[in-house]
């Protein structure tokens, strides 16, 4: 397993154990991920198993959560995405986009109701921010909440929502029209409420081993207690995205590492012109560049975790790491695919699957362009979004 600068040697016991258990899990339990990718399905039977393994928000504390280090959490995301981005997306959404906001901004009752069952995988959550007309600019969202007595009434539609068709609860971000200035607020919406529909989007050519859907809200009534009390404005959803993007910066390294390992093994076995293709300089250059780019991304991820652990990580640090590491994985998965020749376009090998997954990962959680603009603003002080 590529670890050229020996980063694993510095891991603590807890980190080592989590990496080992995640590797054992993906090797033993998720052998058929390629078939799920072909079928466009997620292995839902693994949802409680992943909970049992402590894969959902293990970096949070209380409510039976293990409170592992940020590095251990990142390493876990890396191992899950080495298997498939769909598996890492499941853990990212459940942990960073659903459990995190409940943990950070929820009432005691909300935490007690949801965190234990989301942690075990008994319940599945989803995060509804993107709308059909508002993707990169979610602050223009149209979904609205209005207070009526002891209830809120929600109307609007969300799209591209990971897990919405299989979710029990959705964290829905909406403008609260009963407050001055219509601030963005988070609401916990049980998906079996009247007026909620969650159609699946089933024509994806990327992230196929993941369930994606819409959330339509038509006069959905929820008790006022379902509003997340601890946050107001875009910092609510954006702080969740920072958590999830941290995991993606790590996860992308895993996908690229799996592509590299597949290409290295193939290059030592596949013979052309009387010798393994790995014996030709052109192929060695590809492996050398791939290993270098993966190693640089690993170093960035490790440093990011150190900053997060110390409380010094800024969202812009996360933007740089997400932007760089996903671009790296997108480029290097293509190189790996190329090294496998015709076999590289089949599902018998992982690079083409990772390559197509990376198109989603490059786009969601802030597109590559949007992270460029975040960095541009940070470096110049001048916003260039509009
Ligand atoms: P647009 O915002 O329309 O962007 C189109 C293009 O224009 C992009 O290349 C973009 O970079 C570029 N662009 C936009 N604005 C600018 C600008 N100011 N300057 C320069 N270029 C610009 N969302 C959720 O809320 N929850 C989820 O669970 C979720 N899961 C997803 C799963 C999948 C498989 C996918 C594909 C998406 C998911 N998303 C989710 C949505 C995702 O976050 C959005 O697709 C993303 O934010 C981009 O929005 P958009 O698709 O509307 O593209």
């Amino acid at each position: 397993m590529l670890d050229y600068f020996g980063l694993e040697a510095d891991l603590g016991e807890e980190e080592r154990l989590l990496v080992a258990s995640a590797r054992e899990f993906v090797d033993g339990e998720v052998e058929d991920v390629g078939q799920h990718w072909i079928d466009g399905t997620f292995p839902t039977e693994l949802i409680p198993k992943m909970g049992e393994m402590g894969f959902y928000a293990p970096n949070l504390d209380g409510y039976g959560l293990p409170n592992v280090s940020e590095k251990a959490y990142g390493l876990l995301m890396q191992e899950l995405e080495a298997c498939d981005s769909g598996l890492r997306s499941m853990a990212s959404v459940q942990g960073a986009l659903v459990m995190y906001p409940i943990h950070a901004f929820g009432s005691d009752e909300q935490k007690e109701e949801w965190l234990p069952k989301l942690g075990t995988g008994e319940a599945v959550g989803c995060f509804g921010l993107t709308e059909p007309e508002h993707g990169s600019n979610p602050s223009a969202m149209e979904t609205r909440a209005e207070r009526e007595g002891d209830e809120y009434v929600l109307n609007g539609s969300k799209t591209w929502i990971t897990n919405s068709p299989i979710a029990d609860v959705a964290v829905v971000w909406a403008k609260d029209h009963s407050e001055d200035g219509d601030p963005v607020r988070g609401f916990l919406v049980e998906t079996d409420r009247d007026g909620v529909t969650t159609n699946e989007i089933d024509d994806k050519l990327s992230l196929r081993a993941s369930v994606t859907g819409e959330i339509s809200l038509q006069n959905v009534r929820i008790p006022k207690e379902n509003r997340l009390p601890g946050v107001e404005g875009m910092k609510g959803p954006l702080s969740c995205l920072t958590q999830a993007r941290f995991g993606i910066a790590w996860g992308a390294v895993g996908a690229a590492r799996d592509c590299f390992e597949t290409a290295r093994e193939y290059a030592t076995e596949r013979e052309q012109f009387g010798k393994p293709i790995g014996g030709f300089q052109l192929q060695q250059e590809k492996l050398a560049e791939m290993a270098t780019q993966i190693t640089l991304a690993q170093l960035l991820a490790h440093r990011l975790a150190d900053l997060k652990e110390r409380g010094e990580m800024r969202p812009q640090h996360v933007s740089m790491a997400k932007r760089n590491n996903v671009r790296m994985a997108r480029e290097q998965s293509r190189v790996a695919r190329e090294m496998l020749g015709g076999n590289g376009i089949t599902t018998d090998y992982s690079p083409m699957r990772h390559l197509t997954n990376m198109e989603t990962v490059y786009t969601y959680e802030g597109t590559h362009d949007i992270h460029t603009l975040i960095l541009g603003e940070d470096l110049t002080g001048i916003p260039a979004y509009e």
Side-chain angles (χ1 to χ4, degrees), residues 44 50 65 85-86 277 293 322 349:
T44 45
M50 289 171 71
L65 302 169
S85 300
I277 59 167
Q293 293 305 327
K322 191 267 182 186
Y349 296 88

Side-chain angles (χ1 to χ4, degrees), residues 44 47 90 93-94 98 114 118 122-127 161-171 189-193 196 198 211 214-215:
T44 45
I47 292 174
M90 171 72 215
V93 169
Q94 183 92 339
V98 179
W114 287 109
L118 288 164
E122 185 193 333
V124 173
C126 67
F127 177 87
I161 308 306
T162 303
N163 284 348
S164 73
I166 58 166
D168 301 287
V169 65
V171 175
V189 181
E190 296 87 348
T191 53
D192 58 2
R193 284 193 181 272
V196 180
T198 55
V211 183
E214 302 165 334
I215 308 175

Side-chain angles (χ1 to χ4, degrees), residues 127 129-130 135-136 160-162 360 363-365 367 369 373 385:
F127 177 87
L129 179 64
T130 304
S136 294
W160 293 117
I161 308 306
T162 303
T360 287
T363 292
Y364 74 10
E365 299 277 349
T367 67
D369 294 333
L373 296 174
Y385 304 93

Side-chain angles (χ1 to χ4, degrees), residues 192-231:
D192 58 2
R193 284 193 181 272
D194 286 347
V196 180
T197 43
T198 55
N199 294 332
E200 185 162 359
I201 299 172
D202 55 12
D203 51 2
K204 290 179 296 167
L205 297 175
S206 168
L207 208 71
R208 287 186 55 74
S210 171
V211 183
T212 314
E214 302 165 334
I215 308 175
S216 163
L217 304 154
Q218 289 184 343
N219 291 320
V220 178
R221 291 183 172 273
I222 54 168
K224 67 179 187 334
E225 289 75 22
N226 279 26
R227 193 188 75 171
L228 293 174
V231 76

